Amino acid sequence: MIEVTNLEKSFGDAHILKGISTTFEKGKTNLIIGQSGSGKTVFLKCLLGLFDYEKGKIAYEGQVFAELSEAEKRDLRAKIGMVFQGGALFDSMTIEENVMFPLQMFTKQSKSEMQDRANFVLNRVELKDANKKKPSEASGGMQKRVAIARAIVNNPKYLFCDEPNSGLDPKTAIVIDNLIKEITEEYNITTVINTHDMNSVMEIGEKIVFLKDGLKAWEGSKDTIFQTDNEVVTDFVYSSNLFKKVRRMYIEENENS
Ligand SMILES: Nc1ncnc2c1ncn2[C@@H]1O[C@H](COP(=O)(O)OP(=O)(O)OP(=O)(O)O)[C@@H](O)[C@H]1O
């Protein structure tokens, strides 16, 4: 579990995160949603330990990050897997080499051990046959699978994903969302995903933290987001005509039952 307490982060005079408290549970897909500029990426980078912050604390299984020694921080970082927005794959390497990369950084495994592990996780994301290809030879959906395989190769306890299905068609996006959810449950990982995709919210939003102007405006789940009267949330959710229609149908259904 990750516990965030009263987190504040500024850049110069710009106060970006204004006191966020929440928890992210193990084995669950936790989503951070909100409009562009609300502070999602800054929040995720604080969770990752990439940004320092002025106030508040972040604890991983009770270990407060800021109080750890450099060696302990490194150990914790080795337990974090990250799926970057653009995939961030190395085009000069094969898919297998991309997936082996974190093992080279954080372990002392032999090349054949690393290859075995890389191919094990590539098999898990159904990409074993593509292991000798270059990322540029793979489709967008395949590249996301490679990024997921690379993020889980080190057996992480925490998985952070920044817009994992950006640039994908809706059907492939749902496949990728569900793959992340399955992996989260299978390996009991604490997964935190930044998204503004309402399909992801509906598919895998077991816990949803809604940010607005650097504050937590609401939290709940995919089961409660369509019932809330919180205007900040309804403005966001029903900005799409499709979801306006879904809401009308939901209300009508409940009125008639
Ligand atoms: N390194 C930085 N230095 C200064 N300001 C920054 C930095 N990173 C982010 N910001 C500012 O923090 C605010 C929140 O940005 P952030 O990227 O977290 O938004 P977001 O919710 O992730 O948006 P999007 O959905 O568009 O990615 C913005 O005003 C941005 O300009």
Side-chain angles (χ1 to χ4, degrees), residues 9-12 14-17 32-45 51 85 162-163 194-196 211 214:
K9 165 76 185 159
S10 300
F11 294 103
H15 198 188
I16 306 296
L17 303 181
I32 305 170
I33 67 168
Q35 273 180 356
S36 196
S38 56
K40 302 184 298 294
T41 303
V42 172
F43 187 42
L44 200 71
K45 285 186 175 170
F51 280 159
Q85 199 174 123
D162 196 8
E163 303 277 358
N194 257 3
T195 186
H196 37 63
L211 296 190

Side-chain angles (χ1 to χ4, degrees), residues 171-183:
K171 218 169 165 180
T172 309
I174 287 176
V175 171
I176 293 297
D177 279 345
N178 281 311
L179 177 63
I180 294 173
K181 184 168 185 288
E182 281 165 27
I183 283 171

Side-chain angles (χ1 to χ4, degrees), residues 7 9-11 17 40-53 58 60 65-66 73 76-77 80-85 105-106 160 162 194:
L7 190 72
K9 165 76 185 159
S10 300
F11 294 103
L17 303 181
K40 302 184 298 294
T41 303
V42 172
F43 187 42
L44 200 71
K45 285 186 175 170
C46 289
L47 293 177
L48 270 164
L50 292 178
F51 280 159
D52 291 330
Y53 33 91
I58 304 177
Y60 302 79
F65 186 80
K73 282 182 182 166
L76 180 61
R77 284 200 185 100
I80 292 176
M82 177 74 201
V83 177
F84 295 95
Q85 199 174 123
M105 290 213 13
F106 289 112
F160 297 109
D162 196 8
N194 257 3

Side-chain angles (χ1 to χ4, degrees), residues 154-206:
N154 246 345
N155 233 334
K157 285 176 90 167
Y158 311 99
L159 178 63
F160 297 109
C161 310
D162 196 8
E163 303 277 358
N165 54 20
S166 64
L168 299 179
D169 66 85
K171 218 169 165 180
T172 309
I174 287 176
V175 171
I176 293 297
D177 279 345
N178 281 311
L179 177 63
I180 294 173
K181 184 168 185 288
E182 281 165 27
I183 283 171
T184 298
E185 287 168 3
E186 202 173 308
Y187 301 114
N188 204 20
I189 301 173
T190 305
T191 295
V192 183
I193 303 170
N194 257 3
T195 186
H196 37 63
D197 183 347
M198 280 306 298
N199 281 327
S200 302
V201 167
M202 287 177 73
E203 280 294 310
I204 58 163
E206 291 181 287

Side-chain angles (χ1 to χ4, degrees), residues 16-24 29-41 43 192-198 201-202 205-222 224-226 228-240:
I16 306 296
L17 303 181
K18 300 169 183 162
I20 297 175
S21 298
T22 193
T23 53
F24 299 116
T29 41
N30 301 279
L31 268 48
I32 305 170
I33 67 168
Q35 273 180 356
S36 196
S38 56
K40 302 184 298 294
T41 303
F43 187 42
V192 183
I193 303 170
N194 257 3
T195 186
H196 37 63
D197 183 347
M198 280 306 298
V201 167
M202 287 177 73
E206 291 181 287
K207 160 107 185 229
I208 301 162
V209 175
F210 189 102
L211 296 190
K212 161 105 175 149
D213 296 334
L215 284 166
K216 184 179 78 181
W218 179 85
E219 70 180 9
S221 71
K222 64 186 173 130
T224 56
I225 197 162
F226 292 103
T228 179
D229 291 328
N230 183 318
E231 265 186 43
V232 174
V233 180
T234 54
D235 266 8
F236 179 83
V237 172
Y238 303 115
S239 54
S240 129

